[in-house]
Amino acid sequence: MNKKQILLELQSFGARLDVPVEEHGRCGGAGPSDDKAFMLDGVAAMVPTLGDFAQESPYAVISDDDGKYSITSNGRNVMPVEFVSTPKFYGLKTKNGIPYRQIAVLHGLDVLATTVSQRCIRWRREGERCHFCAIENSLESGATISLKTPEQLAEVAEAAVRLDGVKHMIMTTGTMNYHDMGVNYLIDCTRAIKAIVPDLGIQVQFEPPENLEDMELLYEAGAEAVGIHLESFSQDTRERITPGKAKISIERYFEAFKKAVDIFGRNQVSTYIIVGFGDSEESIVEGCRQIAELGVYPFVVPLRPLMGTPLENVSAPDPQFMERIYRRVAKNNREYDLAYRKSKAGCARCGACSGITAFE
Ligand code: SF4
C-alpha cells in the first residue's frame, strides 16, 4: 500500500492510540474536530482518534522501546509517525487566570486556531443546527471560554509566535447574529492581533454577511484570507445537514465568493466541501470546478463523524471515493492555477484536514 492510500485511509477510518502520545489533539468544537495531528514524513495530517469508528479502525499507533512511534494496519507495521510536541504557550495563563489553551490551540504543525465565539445562534435553535458540528460541546466540557476578546487573542497570538514559531492563524466562529454574522467583531479581533504580531498571516471564517462590503473592512484590518464554507453544492443536502445555513442560498454564497475574491485575491478565499453526505462525485467535482474558476480554493475534506453530534454513527466516506474526488479536483485546481501552497493563511495553507495536498 502506498503512502497516499495510507493517508486517505487514516483520514477516513481514523486510528486507535494503543500507547499514550503527546497531548495535542482536539475534542469537540466547530467543524471537523476530535482529531490529532499525525506527522507523516514531515507533513501534518489530522486523523480521528476519539470516535467509536476510530476504535474499530484497522490502524493503530504503537511505540518501540526507544519511544519511537509507528502506525500499524491490522497489526502490521506500515510507517513511522511523529507527534507535534505540546506547545509551550499551553503553559501560560492570562492575568485573570484563563489558560491560553482555552483561548486558542495549535492545529497541524504551525497554525494557531481559535473559535472566537463558541456559541452559535444556529446551534440552539430548533431545526437550524449543522448536523456535523459540536461547537458548544467543548464549552460544556470546560475546554474553552464562550467569547474570546480581541485583547486575549492578541496576547495568545504573540506568545504562540514567540514561543512556538506559529506561522499563521485561523479565526473561525459560531454565527454570532443574523446580520453581519459576527464579521465586525472578527474585524476588531484581527486589528488587535495585527497591532501586536503584524507578520502573522490571518484567515477569518464566517457565513456571508448581510452587507458584503464588511469584508473590505476585514481586509483593511489586515486579514490575508477568508473561508466562507458552503459544505455541499446540493441544496437538498444543505437543507438536510445544515438547515439553518441552507436559508442562505447557494447563489448568495457565489455572490459572496466573487466579492471576496475581488477583495482578497484568487486562492485567498476558500470553502470547505465535505464529502460523505451522499452527494455524487459529479456534483462535488463540478461544483468545485465552478468555484475554482472564480478563484475560490475548494477545501475538500472527508466527513468526520463527531461524538455528540447527530452524525456520530455515520460512516466516513470510502477512501477510494475520496481519492477519485481529490484527483479530479486537484486537476481542475491546476487548470485554474490554484494550489494550497499559494494560500497565505488558513485551512487551505495548513491542509492537514484534507488529503488533496497529496494530489496537487
Ligand atoms: S486544515 Fe484547518 S481545521 Fe484542519 S488542522 Fe489545519 S487549520 Fe485546523
Side-chain angles (χ1 to χ4, degrees):
M1 188 182 291
N2 66 36
K3 285 181 185 157
K4 270 185 198 161
Q5 286 170 313
I6 295 172
L7 167 69
L8 300 195
E9 292 202 353
L10 281 170
Q11 289 193 326
S12 282
F13 300 148
R16 300 184 313 278
L17 300 179
D18 285 355
V19 288
V21 295
E22 283 279 354
E23 197 200 335
H24 165 49
R26 294 182 281 157
C27 181
S33 55
D34 280 8
D35 291 8
K36 190 164 187 61
F38 282 36
M39 297 301 299
L40 305 171
D41 278 344
V43 177
M46 297 307 282
V47 175
T49 58
L50 293 176
D52 284 349
F53 71 99
Q55 306 318 310
E56 287 162 19
S57 167
Y59 289 96
V61 175
I62 59 164
S63 65
D64 64 19
D65 295 341
D66 299 333
K68 294 214 162 71
Y69 298 106
S70 304
I71 295 174
T72 61
S73 171
N74 292 316
R76 200 169 48 84
N77 207 318
V78 289
M79 72 182 294
V81 59
E82 292 179 77
F83 295 96
V84 181
S85 313
T86 303
K88 297 188 187 76
F89 79 86
Y90 280 13
L92 302 181
K93 291 181 178 173
T94 65
K95 56 180 180 302
N96 300 328
I98 301 169
Y100 279 11
R101 69 178 302 173
Q102 290 189 6
I103 295 167
V105 292
L106 186 71
H107 275 202
L109 182 60
D110 57 9
V111 194
L112 184 67
T114 182
T115 304
V116 173
S117 168
Q118 204 78 30
R119 294 201 187 278
C120 175
I121 44 165
R122 301 203 185 280
W123 208 76
R124 279 162 186 260
R125 295 213 181 169
E126 187 65 27
E128 291 221 9
R129 184 185 297 191
C130 299
H131 290 196
F132 51 78
C133 182
I135 189 163
E136 296 204 15
N137 292 357
S138 29
L139 256 187
E140 283 154 21
S141 73
T144 186
I145 55 175
S146 62
L147 184 69
K148 288 82 175 177
T149 67
E151 296 72 29
Q152 287 168 341
L153 291 167
E155 184 178 333
V156 176
E158 186 281 325
V161 170
R162 177 168 41 84
L163 299 174
D164 297 291
V166 156
K167 299 277 187 321
H168 55 125
M169 179 170 184
I170 292 170
M171 286 193 278
T172 192
T173 189
T175 299
M176 295 170 80
N177 61 59
Y178 289 120
H179 299 289
D180 77 351
M181 309 292 179
V183 170
N184 281 287
Y185 190 77
L186 295 164
I187 291 168
D188 292 344
C189 296
T190 305
R191 213 176 273 125
I193 297 162
K194 283 287 183 175
I196 297 197
V197 271
D199 294 337
L200 181 67
I202 296 181
Q203 187 214 28
V204 184
Q205 305 180 347
F206 47 81
E207 285 190 60
E210 209 169 54
N211 181 359
L212 296 179
E213 313 285 320
D214 286 349
M215 293 191 287
E216 283 174 6
L217 302 177
L218 189 57
Y219 180 75
E220 284 163 18
E224 278 84 2
V226 291
I228 307 170
H229 299 158
L230 184 56
E231 283 97 20
S232 166
F233 296 102
S234 153
Q235 184 61 14
D236 286 351
T237 300
R238 298 180 73 227
E239 284 168 13
R240 187 165 46 85
I241 305 287
T242 61
K245 287 181 73 178
K247 291 178 187 157
I248 301 178
S249 68
I250 295 176
E251 291 70 30
R252 178 68 178 164
Y253 269 80
F254 272 63
E255 277 173 38
F257 289 153
K258 284 185 197 148
K259 179 75 182 172
V261 172
D262 284 348
I263 298 169
F264 293 89
R266 290 178 68 84
N267 219 128
Q268 308 313 327
V269 180
S270 59
T271 189
Y272 262 81
I273 300 300
I274 303 179
V275 180
F277 298 143
D279 294 343
S280 69
E281 182 177 329
E282 275 323 305
S283 131
I284 295 168
V285 172
E286 173 54 19
C288 289
R289 191 202 62 74
Q290 287 177 13
I291 60 169
E293 191 173 16
L294 297 179
V296 175
Y297 184 86
F299 194 62
V300 179
V301 297
L303 170 67
R304 304 290 213 280
L306 295 191
M307 293 189 295
T309 67
L311 298 180
E312 68 181 355
N313 295 319
V314 169
S315 300
D318 172 27
Q320 289 175 355
F321 185 59
M322 292 304 305
E323 177 166 356
R324 287 202 303 277
I325 290 176
Y326 285 144
R327 275 192 196 290
R328 295 181 64 190
V329 173
K331 180 168 176 287
N332 283 336
N333 286 352
R334 274 193 295 277
E335 274 168 26
Y336 293 109
D337 201 24
L338 300 181
Y340 85 100
R341 284 197 176 80
K342 294 184 182 176
S343 296
K344 294 181 187 160
C347 289
R349 173 168 167 191
C350 165
C353 284
S354 173
I356 196 165
T357 50
F359 295 85
E360 282 187 3

